[in-house]
Amino acid sequence: MTKKALIITHSARSQPNYVTTFFTERHIPFEILPIFDDQSKLVDIHTTDYLVIVSLGGPQGTYEEDLYPYLKWEKNFLAAQLALNTPILGLCLGAQLLADIVGGKGYLGKYGPEAGYVQYELTSEGKTDPVIGEIFEKQQNKPLFVMHHQDSFDLPSNVPVLAYTANKYIAAFRFGSALAVQFHPEASLEDFSGFVERTRQRSPDHYKNMDIDEVLREARECEDRAEKSRRLFFETWWNSLLKQ
């Protein structure tokens, strides 16, 4: 049986977007698992059926297992797949779940939400990372990866942080076969605008300490460059796996 990529979604409104475009363009078979929707679809955590696993973002917190019991299953699944050395890419919530697995802890961020194209600072490990380091070098340390989060996480000292944001949130880390990023390399301007609109409806005070309309204006101006960053991210990540 040909192995395929598994994409885990956590909300009907948090979709794979460019992830499926990338896999489709390269004729990589994939399966989407809407973990929030139908628990009967959950697979054996020790399966070896998957070529790679991509865990997407979502509105849940890693600390909300009582509200969303399937998050416990996903943590067990990702931990088992790490032990099998299956390549894993965690995006936003996916990164936070991986942080919990490797001994860290997710929580409501201390410095408020981040939204839009923030500044990143690479660590020494990040500068030599085959994905993060190469992307930042090719884009003069200014790749455009949209942020939209309020939760964050800590990591144990044995897990190398690859990048921080200007607000000192962890932006990327690597552990074993997993690469985890707090940003959304899969999200276009349309996707980001949707994040903002839904958040405004759900929590009108969420952006009270930022000019979110200015953030959206900047995102519109930067969309062409951001598209190049998205493509470069997934191409670099995938090529790094082919070299293993």
Side-chain angles (χ1 to χ4, degrees), residues 3 42 52 56 70 81 86 90 102 157 179 182 186 213 232:
K3 289 191 175 184
L42 302 183
V52 296
L56 297 177
Y70 50 80
Q81 292 300 308
T86 306
V102 303
S157 59
L179 175 63
Q182 181 64 71
E186 84 288 4
D213 290 320
L232 179 61

Side-chain angles (χ1 to χ4, degrees), residues 115-215:
Y117 296 114
V118 304
Q119 293 184 335
Y120 300 97
E121 180 180 348
L122 294 188
T123 64
S124 57
E125 291 87 353
K127 291 175 182 177
T128 59
D129 186 80
V131 177
I132 299 299
E134 183 171 334
I135 291 168
F136 274 69
E137 181 179 356
K138 286 184 176 179
Q139 297 211 310
Q140 293 76 50
N141 290 319
K142 294 181 179 179
L144 292 178
F145 300 126
V146 69
M147 278 282 191
H148 193 271
H149 74 104
Q150 187 165 8
D151 282 357
S152 186
F153 51 88
D154 292 328
L155 291 170
S157 59
N158 66 318
V159 178
V161 175
L162 304 179
Y164 291 95
T165 72
N167 288 332
K168 301 304 180 185
Y169 285 129
I170 296 173
F173 71 91
R174 183 181 288 279
F175 185 87
S177 61
L179 175 63
V181 299
Q182 181 64 71
F183 49 80
H184 287 275
E186 84 288 4
S188 67
L189 171 63
E190 181 180 357
D191 303 323
F192 176 53
S193 298
F195 296 164
V196 171
E197 183 58 31
R198 290 191 293 273
T199 302
R200 275 174 155 167
Q201 292 175 2
R202 184 176 67 248
S203 179
D205 292 335
H206 186 82
Y207 303 114
K208 64 181 180 180
N209 294 321
M210 69 176 73
D211 186 345
I212 193 62
D213 290 320
E214 175 62 19
V215 171

Side-chain angles (χ1 to χ4, degrees), residues 38-56:
D38 184 353
Q39 311 310 290
S40 69
K41 297 178 181 178
L42 302 183
V43 299
D44 175 13
I45 66 171
H46 300 291
T47 181
T48 57
D49 289 348
Y50 297 113
L51 184 65
V52 296
I53 297 166
V54 181
S55 177
L56 297 177

